[in-house]
Every structure is written in structure tokens, then in C-alpha cells.
Amino acid sequence: MDAELDGLLLDLDGVLVTGGRPLPGVPEMLATVLASDVPLRILSNTTLVPRRFIVERFRSLGIPLTADMVLTPPAAAARWLHDQGAQAVALFVAPGTREEFAGLPLVDPEAESGADFVVVGDMGDEWSAPALNRALRLLVNGARLVALGMGRYWKAPDGLRLDTGAYVSALSFATGQEPVVIGKPAPAFFRLALEALGVPANRTAMVGDDIISDVGAAQQVGLKGILVKTGKFRPEDLERGVTPDWVVPDVTHVLPLLGLHTDLGHIPTTNE
Ligand SMILES: [Mg+2]
């Protein structure tokens, strides 16, 4: 069949990996796409690990991904801050992601004024009242609030934990400042990825397991949205007001839409 798509954006968790391990057929699928001339980017909202970790995980499986093929909120925010001509950035992010901001001018870690941007990600257990108050003082003293996603909470091994959006909302409530959100579902995040692909939006698909922030959000910027039935997918998701362009059992079923063929017949598909 003729290709329906020329470019591909892939969510990471629930589409390519689950619990840190690749889903069945994913290494073969990625190898097939990388060997073709179909441009690919992985679009993940993770703010806990640097892209280097993600790339190394796939490289250990023989998949030659490079860091520039992975777009995360910290990486996108660093680029955005650079484009904004940021002069003094205050980071409230996990230690592991600080390296994504290398090359940007940072304020002193104790500073309470003098920042032009306050970047808030998931600091996990590093959050404290003094840290939040320092962010507040920097904002009141003139900094703009930048959010690395707006997740409400997530499920950690020990139970639910507040996510970035909860901390951003506290700072936004206190200061009355609307945050600049970088990450899914923000349209700018998808546009940045699309720019990197160099393929028209209507010939590019976003593949995700979140019908709202992957599929629906991608469709809002003119991309095709493909929902996989892996990861967090539940049948009720299809009644949430978003109609995916395609619903597929798993990400390996996207290959024919790209005009790519590979013998995946021997690979067990995930059971639903
Ligand atoms: Mg996902």
C-alpha cells in the first residue's frame, strides 16, 4: 500500500517501553524506521532523566538512537530559553536533568532575585518549603514562570506523588502569573518536534497511549493521532471526546502506514 505518513513522533512510556523495558517488537520496529528515510523523533514528557539515559537504553539493545532524536521538556525548554535570550535562569529541576541546561547562564543556587526565568520541573523529594519560597521570591522579583509539563500526580512505587503541575500551580496561584508550559500537551512542544522533522503536519503522526495529551493534543496542531492499546490505554478512553485517526494494537502496527515492511510476524504482540 502507498504510505499514508512521511514522519513519525513517538511517545516513550507505554508505547516503546514499559517499566523501563522495551515492549515486544519495538527494537525491530525502531531499527526498520531508522534504516528508512522516514524521520523520527521520540516525544516524552519525562523530566526525571536526561536524554542520554534514554538513548543509552536503546543503544544497549543495538538501536542507534541519538540524543537529538529525543525531545523532552527540559531539552525543549533549554532551546526555548536560548531563543528567548535568557540572561539568568533559576532551575527547580531534578539533579539528573540539570545537564540539559548546560550552556545557559544560571543564577546563584541561593539567589532570591535577579533571575529572568524560573524553570519548574519534577524535583521529587528535593522539594521543600524553602525551595518553593525561593522560587516565589524570584518570581515576585521579576522572573517568568516556565513549567516542564503540567502533570497533576503520578504513581511511584511507594504510592501517588505530586507532579510538576501541582508545584507550578502553587507558584502561579501565589503570583497570579500564567506559566509558559513546555511539554505535552502544549502545542509549541509538538511544533518544535515537527520543525525538527521537516515534514508537513498532515503527513506526520504522533503515536501515544494517552488519548488526550498525545493523540488529541497532536491533532490540535494538525498532526495525525495514533492511539496504541498498550501502556495506560483503557477501552473507556475512546469515549473521552477524541477520535484518533488510527487505533492500533501496538506501535509495530504503524509500519505499514509509513510504507515500511518488515517481517514482524514472528514477534509476539502484547496481549490486551
Ligand atoms: Mg505514554
Side-chain angles (χ1 to χ4, degrees), residues 26 34 49 59 72 84 107 119 127 140 142 152 156 161 163 169 171 177 203 215 236 250:
V26 164
L34 289 173
V49 295
R59 286 193 161 256
T72 60
Q84 296 287 311
V107 296
V119 179
W127 275 119
V140 168
R152 291 175 296 168
R161 291 190 194 176
D163 201 351
S169 295
L171 293 166
Q177 200 186 130
R203 297 288 298 176
V215 175
E236 309 86 88
D250 63 65

Side-chain angles (χ1 to χ4, degrees), residues 5 27 33 36 46 48 57 93 117 119 142 157 167 176 194 225 229 231-232 236:
L5 301 166
V33 177
S36 75
T46 186
L48 282 172
R57 190 193 297 163
V93 303
F117 294 95
V119 179
Y167 294 98
L194 201 54
K229 292 186 170 182
K232 69 170 105 168
E236 309 86 88

Side-chain angles (χ1 to χ4, degrees), residues 11-15 17 184 207-210 214 231-232:
D11 177 35
L12 180 67
D13 274 307
V15 173
V17 302
K184 294 179 284 184
V207 186
D209 63 331
D210 188 316
D214 291 322
K232 69 170 105 168

Side-chain angles (χ1 to χ4, degrees), residues 47 92 120-124 127-128 132 135 139 145-154 160-175 177 179 181:
T47 67
F92 293 84
V120 177
D122 185 1
M123 287 218 297
W127 275 119
S128 64
L132 278 168
L139 291 167
L145 177 58
V146 179
L148 304 182
M150 283 301 279
R152 291 175 296 168
Y153 57 83
W154 63 287
L160 297 181
R161 291 190 194 176
L162 288 178
D163 201 351
T164 306
Y167 294 98
V168 171
S169 295
L171 293 166
S172 174
F173 173 73
T175 61
Q177 200 186 130
V181 181

